[in-house]
C-alpha cells in the first residue's frame, strides 16, 4: 500500500509518501514541503499548491491520499487557509479517482506514538524510528505528512473491516424491498 | 465589466453573472446553483463543484470572479465546507488568470441594501430591483451570488483608485536602488 500523506497549509503544505502494510517495516519513498509565498494572492497560492500536489501524485502514483482533518476550533486566523489547502489536495486526488482518507491530528499522534496528545518532537522521533531515517524530517509539516501516511497504513485494515461489517449489516437489514 | 459572483457552499454553491459599470443599469446574464449530494465523499463533492464552476466560466467568460469571504466565527459545522468550496472557486478562476475578489457578507449587504445587517429577504428584494427581474432569484444562495457580483461592480472603481494610489506611492518611495 502506497500512501501520500498531506499536512495541509497555505504557507507550508507537508507531503510524504510511505509504502508498506500493517505489521511490516515501512519504507519512506519521499518527503517534502509545497510552499507558497505569504504575500501572493490567495487564488495564486491555491494554484501553486495544486501544481505541487499534482507533481507528487505524478511522481509517486499513490493508491491512497491521507489528509489531516481540519477542525475549526484551532487558531481562527490559520484554519481557513488550512481548510482551503486541504480542499485542493482532496480535489487533486479525487479527480484522479484516488481514495481520500481524513485522519484527525489525535488519531495520527495516537497511531505513531501511542498517545493522542503527543507533541511535535515525539511525533518526529517516532516517524524517524519507524521509517529508519537518520534524522527527523524538517520542517515539522513534513514529519506530520509522513505520520499521516503511516497512520493510514496502520488504520486501513481496521477501517476496511468496519466498512465491510457495515456493508454486510446494511445488506442484511430488512430495509424495504429490493428488485 | 462582467463579474461571476460565487456564494460558496458544498451543498448549494450559488453562482450569478452580472454585467455593467457603476452608475449605469446592470444586466443579469445568468444565475444558478451548483449542487452536490450531502452523502457523497468530500473529494467527489469538490470535483463536482470544480466541474460546475468551470462550466460557468466557459459559458460566460467573466473578467472578474467575486467570492464571499468566509469567516470562521460562523457555524462551526458548515464553515469548513464553505471554505473548501470557496477554495475550489478561487482555484478555477486563478488557473485561468481571472482576478479573484473577496467581499465580506456585510460589504455585500451594505452595497446592495445600504445596511451591512440587512436580512436575506432585503438582499433578495434589492437584487430583484437592481437587475429588473420579475421575482427574487431562488434559492437565497443564487440571489447572494448576484449580490456579490453587483457589490464587486460597484466597489471596483474605489478599489482600483486605492490600488493606483498605493502603486504610485510605492513607486515614488525611495525604497532602495533600482537598475
Amino acid at each position: 500500500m502506497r500512501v501520500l500523506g498531506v499536512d495541509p497549509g497555505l504557507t507550508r503544505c507537508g507531503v510524504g509518501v510511505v509504502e508498506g502494510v500493517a505489521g511490516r517495516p515501512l519504507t519512506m519513498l519521499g518527503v517534502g514541503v509545497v510552499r507558497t509565498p505569504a504575500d501572493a494572492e490567495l487564488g495564486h497560492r491555491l494554484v501553486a499548491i495544486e501544481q505541487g500536489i499534482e507533481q507528487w501524485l505524478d511522481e509517486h502514483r499513490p493508491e491512497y491520499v491521507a489528509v489531516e482533518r481540519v477542525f475549526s476550533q484551532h487558531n481562527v486566523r490559520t484554519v481557513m487557509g488550512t481548510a482551503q489547502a486541504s480542499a485542493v489536495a482532496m480535489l487533486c486526488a479525487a479527480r484522479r479517482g484516488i481514495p481520500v482518507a481524513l485522519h484527525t491530528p489525535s488519531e495520527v499522534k495516537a497511531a505513531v506514538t501511542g498517545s493522542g496528545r503527543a507533541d511535535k518532537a515525539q511525533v518526529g522521533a517516532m516517524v524517524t524510528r519507524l521509517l529508519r531515517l537518520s534524522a527527523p524530517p524538517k520542517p515539522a509539516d513534513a514529519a506530520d505528512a509522513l505520520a499521516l501516511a503511516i497512520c493510514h497504513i496502520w488504520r486501513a485494515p481496521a477501517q476496511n473491516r468496519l466498512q465491510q461489517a457495515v456493508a454486510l449489516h446494511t445488506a442484511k437489514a430488512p430495509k424495504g424491498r429490493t428488485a
Side-chain angles (χ1 to χ4, degrees), chain A:
Chain A
M1 185 189 279
R2 184 178 292 187
V3 181
L4 170 67
V6 179
D7 183 30
L10 279 180
T11 305
R12 288 185 308 277
C13 190
V15 280
V17 184
V18 178
E19 194 170 59
V21 291
R24 298 272 191 85
L26 302 165
T27 309
M28 182 184 82
L29 300 181
V31 65
V33 177
V34 176
R35 294 174 194 272
T36 76
D39 57 352
E41 279 182 28
L42 182 50
H44 295 157
R45 300 181 80 179
L46 297 172
V47 172
I49 290 171
E50 179 184 44
Q51 289 169 345
I53 298 285
E54 288 287 343
Q55 279 178 12
W56 280 83
L57 293 174
D58 281 341
E59 192 175 340
H60 292 284
R61 308 265 158 202
E63 295 149 272
Y64 297 89
V65 172
V67 181
E68 187 177 296
R69 189 185 290 277
V70 185
F71 286 110
S72 48
Q73 59 262 41
H74 291 347
N75 184 333
V76 166
R77 278 187 65 85
T78 61
V79 77
M80 306 310 294
T82 309
Q84 288 163 336
S86 79
V88 173
M90 287 186 273
L91 179 69
C92 291
R95 231 165 21 197
R96 293 179 183 228
I98 303 173
V100 177
L102 299 173
H103 299 287
T104 67
S106 47
E107 282 168 355
V108 174
K109 290 173 187 172
V112 301
T113 75
S115 162
R117 283 164 302 177
D119 62 14
K120 292 258 173 215
Q122 221 180 323
V123 171
M126 283 308 295
V127 165
T128 309
R129 185 175 308 169
L130 294 166
L131 299 174
R132 289 152 291 134
L133 309 176
S134 53
K138 297 273 164 96
D141 315 75
D144 285 347
L146 292 170
L148 266 156
I150 296 170
C151 169
H152 185 71
I153 291 170
W154 285 355
R155 286 175 62 95
Q159 286 188 337
N160 289 346
R161 280 198 302 274
L162 196 65
Q163 278 166 7
Q164 281 163 10
V166 170
L168 205 66
H169 179 77
T170 312
K172 278 182 182 166
K175 233 182 155 185
R177 283 158 300 192
T178 49

